[in-house]
Amino acid sequence: MNAVLNIEHSLSGQSWQWRSTSADARDPGFQPDDLVTQLLLSRGATRDTLAINREPTIRGFMPDPSVFQDMDKAAERIAEAVVNQEKVTIFGDYDVDGATSAALLIRLLRDLGLQAGHYIPDRLMEGYGPSGEALVKLGQQGSDLVVTVDCGAMAFEALDMANKSGVEVIVVDHHKCAAELPKAWALVNPNRLDESDAGAEHGHLAAVGMAFLLGAALIRNLRGKAFFQDRPEPKLLELLDIVALGTVADVAQLRGLNRAFVAQGLKVLSGRQNIGLAALIDASRLKRAPICSDLGFALGPRINAGGRVGKSDLGVRLLTTQDPEEAQKIAAELDHLNEERRAIESHVLEEAEAMCATQQNQAVAVLSAKGWHPGVIGIVASRIKEKLDRPAIIIAEDETGIGKGSGRSITGVDLGAAIIAAKDSGLLLAGGGHAMAAGITIETARIGAFSEFLNERLATLVGKSQAGRALLLDAVLSPKGVNPVTVEAMDGAGPYGMGWPAPRIATGPVRIIKCDIVGKDHVRMIVAGDDGGSIKTIAFRAAESDLGQALLSAPRGRKLWIAGRAKIDDWGSRPSAEIHLEDAAWAD
């Protein structure tokens, strides 16, 4: 395949390729009027689905909830609880997906006249997922029904204890399942191995997306019981702001229904109907309506901070409160905890990066140490994965010889399946996840054997992924063509995220006018083209990389092609376009 601009080996060692090889996906005319069509086709839309992908709506992508195994059974049981005013507790995970899933069901049940309680386990004291002790205790405290969200798919012992004690549990999850399922009243999960084809095609949904579908099934069930003869139906679509937040923060693939969730959810979010989210937007110091990236980089991390380094239920309380004063107080506390989380994360990351030299010949980087905070290991794993371009697992060891680990993977390497296989082989005390992320509990004495297991199992897949490494481009523009009009036109094919990547452009040839380091290790440049266009660029966390070093030492007169994501810079009096630089190559 011919490389774009004949660049076979860039400054970061990649070839530059078109994102799509389809002729109709890359019209060389590249005018704003047809740009959105090109981008949609390049991301997998077909000619006959262009309309619904251009304006993604819930109606356009919503499946019949009944296609999922146990969905109708779960909806019937919850409807029974609503009608009979039973005591229901929502048991959620401590991350954003868990908090939003729990909040969605709590708010929906409240609108149906049922005041459901919540239980969010403490990350440090209880760990991930439901424990048998917690479920039994909830039953003893009077809960007639427990609904777990974003957890439970692999909770065999816990659900067995609950079942034996008479506690009825419905599991709503999206993580990988084993062939055998735990004992639950109903287990709703698109990634069940016995799921129908129609259900399995939605395996990319986050748990909050599955909770939304359960909500739709519940309302339909109650409608059939004539429950709404004397009361209004809840407006489920008004909860899409919560669904969008959980979907983006959980890095779910933004294709199909997930794109509709986020596109429509952002519209709801801009209306600031949720008191807690409005307070969180203010605490995040956002001066405009949030965009998709704000969900992942501003709002999500603050919700997460409660579960990582603070009180695990702060997120659920914020998203469900009806008291503006309480919302402001919780949002401020989450903002403070997020600053604390950043400091802890920086310390752990520094130590983990120092260990990377010991992982040079490993397909999967497995790093562990005592004293690391379990609340930040997932973020650190993501950073190490980016640094090494390999899957990474970060393990925090405690004083009892037990380690809690979190892993992140690269495209083409199913880490969740490997973790489940390691658990089945006896290497792990607990473990699960999905293709791109997973969590484990392990005896520290077994970390070496676990690392060997992963490297043997995943080496070929990692090698293939790295061998096929290329920078995928959507367009080549002149320097003057990198302007707000073009950037806004590209936004028309959004929202962008995991599985529906933001457009990447190349431009040049350009000369470096200025290049320096800003912050800790970001490389900032101003470049100019022969057509008179000048562009500001920034390469994040690149100062120590091959790319960053080459740019910082480049002769000022030498010309470059540069590539990255074009963004709107609205700090000045007049908006301009800038490039978040990802790669560069010599043009002469």
Side-chain angles (χ1 to χ4, degrees):
M1 187 184 301
N2 293 330
V4 178
L5 300 172
N6 295 317
I7 295 171
E8 298 282 0
H9 195 81
S10 68
L11 293 181
S12 65
Q14 302 180 93
S15 68
W16 290 7
Q17 301 289 338
W18 291 117
R19 187 177 304 280
S20 174
T21 57
S22 171
D24 64 358
R26 288 191 297 104
D27 185 337
F30 199 73
Q31 297 298 316
D33 288 344
D34 57 23
L35 175 55
V36 171
T37 296
Q38 297 170 44
L39 294 174
L40 293 174
L41 291 171
S42 294
R43 279 149 186 77
T46 59
R47 288 285 178 183
D48 59 349
T49 63
L50 281 174
I52 62 171
N53 275 290
R54 191 181 295 269
E55 296 289 343
T57 63
I58 304 302
R59 182 184 296 274
F61 288 100
M62 181 85 167
D64 182 343
S66 295
V67 303
F68 297 95
Q69 296 276 13
D70 280 4
M71 180 68 83
D72 289 337
K73 186 178 181 182
E76 172 63 30
R77 179 64 187 90
I78 299 175
E80 179 183 320
V82 170
V83 171
N84 296 326
Q85 286 293 294
E86 297 180 49
K87 184 174 181 180
V88 176
T89 300
I90 310 300
F91 190 114
D93 187 22
Y94 38 63
D95 69 358
V96 183
D97 194 18
T100 52
S101 301
L104 184 145
L105 291 182
I106 290 169
R107 291 174 66 95
L108 175 59
L109 290 173
R110 187 168 67 201
D111 289 344
L112 291 169
L114 183 69
Q115 297 294 324
H118 68 264
Y119 187 98
I120 310 296
D122 183 273
R123 180 189 292 263
L124 300 182
M125 302 302 295
E126 299 177 82
Y128 170 77
S131 66
E133 292 79 5
L135 294 177
V136 170
K137 185 176 181 180
L138 289 173
Q140 293 172 343
Q141 293 173 344
S143 290
D144 301 296
L145 177 66
V146 176
V147 183
T148 74
V149 287
D150 197 31
C151 58
M154 297 290 288
F156 291 94
E157 293 181 7
L159 292 177
D160 188 51
M161 284 183 64
N163 185 59
K164 289 178 179 177
S165 68
V167 179
E168 294 179 358
V169 181
I170 291 173
V171 174
V172 182
D173 204 351
H174 69 130
H175 294 102
K176 294 278 186 180
C177 291
E180 180 184 356
L181 296 174
K183 296 177 182 179
W185 179 272
L187 197 154
V188 180
N189 186 330
N191 291 305
R192 285 176 55 154
L193 296 183
D194 62 346
E195 187 56 82
S196 67
D197 290 342
E201 73 175 64
H202 293 89
H204 61 292
L205 295 183
V208 71
M210 294 305 298
F212 179 90
L213 294 176
L214 175 59
L218 172 60
I219 291 173
R220 183 172 64 184
N221 184 291
L222 289 169
R223 190 184 301 136
K225 298 181 187 299
F227 182 79
F228 301 112
Q229 282 187 337
D230 56 357
R231 65 185 304 148
E233 287 192 16
K235 296 179 180 179
L236 190 60
L237 295 181
E238 292 184 354
L239 299 177
L240 284 174
D241 49 1
I242 297 176
V243 181
L245 174 59
T247 297
V248 173
D250 211 51
V251 202
Q253 293 191 28
L254 294 195
R255 55 184 175 86
L257 182 57
N258 277 345
R259 284 191 68 235
F261 281 152
V262 175
Q264 300 305 318
L266 286 170
K267 295 178 182 178
V268 176
L269 188 60
S270 67
R272 296 172 65 95
Q273 297 178 44
N274 186 302
I275 293 171
L277 279 176
L280 193 65
I281 291 169
D282 293 339
S284 302
R285 293 167 284 282
L286 292 174
K287 302 301 182 184
R288 47 164 171 71
I291 59 177
C292 188
S293 59
D294 294 326
L295 302 180
F297 294 103
L299 305 184
R302 287 171 169 80
I303 295 285
N304 247 337
R308 292 187 187 281
V309 296
K311 301 171 185 175
S312 60
D313 70 343
L314 284 175
V316 174
R317 288 169 51 200
L318 177 74
L319 297 174
T320 57
T321 185
Q322 297 173 295
D323 181 350
E325 185 176 339
E326 181 186 27
Q328 292 177 4
K329 181 179 178 181
I330 295 175
E333 185 173 1
L334 287 172
D335 185 55
H336 172 75
L337 289 171
N338 191 49
E339 292 300 320
E340 184 179 332
R341 185 270 306 169
R342 286 179 176 173
I344 296 170
E345 174 196 331
S346 178
H347 172 72
V348 175
L349 178 60
E350 184 177 345
E351 291 191 354
E353 286 180 331
M355 296 181 181
C356 285
T358 66
Q359 302 288 316
Q360 292 296 330
N361 299 317
Q362 303 296 309
V364 180
V366 179
L367 305 171
S368 67
K370 290 181 179 179
W372 286 353
H373 196 297
V376 302
I377 54 178
I379 306 173
V380 173
S382 182
R383 297 280 190 240
I384 297 298
K385 177 205 74 171
E386 294 171 1
K387 179 182 181 70
L388 301 180
D389 191 31
R390 281 175 278 156
I393 296 178
I394 305 298
I395 302 172
E397 303 176 22
D398 66 20
E399 299 300 326
T400 68
I402 301 298
K404 297 290 182 67
S406 186
R408 298 294 183 269
S409 194
I410 59 178
T411 302
V413 182
D414 189 336
L415 185 60
I419 293 298
I420 291 175
K423 182 178 182 298
D424 290 343
S425 70
L427 288 169
L428 302 176
L429 296 173
H434 45 80
M436 301 301 288
I440 66 167
T441 303
I442 187 172
E443 295 176 354
T444 55
R446 290 180 173 266
I447 291 176
F450 170 63
S451 179
E452 292 177 6
F453 176 91
L454 288 183
N455 281 286
E456 182 177 341
R457 182 182 176 92
L458 298 177
T460 300
L461 290 175
V462 172
K464 286 182 179 179
S465 177
Q466 292 177 330
R469 185 170 175 255
L471 193 76
L472 302 181
L473 295 169
D474 292 287
V476 176
L477 304 178
S478 68
K480 270 194 172 180
V482 183
N483 57 56
V485 173
T486 305
V487 176
E488 289 175 3
M490 290 190 289
D491 286 344
Y496 298 109
M498 177 63 68
W500 197 270
R504 184 182 288 119
I505 65 165
T507 187
V510 294
R511 303 181 310 279
I512 299 176
I513 304 301
K514 179 182 179 182
C515 183
D516 59 6
I517 296 175
V518 294
K520 182 179 179 181
D521 56 358
H522 310 312
V523 177
R524 176 180 59 184
M525 285 199 308
I526 298 176
V527 298
D530 293 339
D531 63 355
S534 64
I535 309 167
K536 292 190 296 183
T537 77
I538 186 165
F540 294 105
R541 296 184 295 275
E544 300 298 324
S545 68
D546 292 341
L547 171 64
Q549 289 296 303
L551 295 175
L552 289 166
S553 61
R556 288 298 180 264
R558 193 169 184 186
K559 293 184 177 181
L560 288 162
W561 293 102
I562 59 175
R565 317 279 188 182
K567 305 287 183 179
I568 297 290
D569 176 13
D570 53 9
W571 281 101
S573 58
R574 186 173 62 179
S576 61
E578 65 179 14
I579 292 179
H580 291 184
L581 192 72
E582 296 177 81
D583 206 356
W586 301 123
D588 51 24

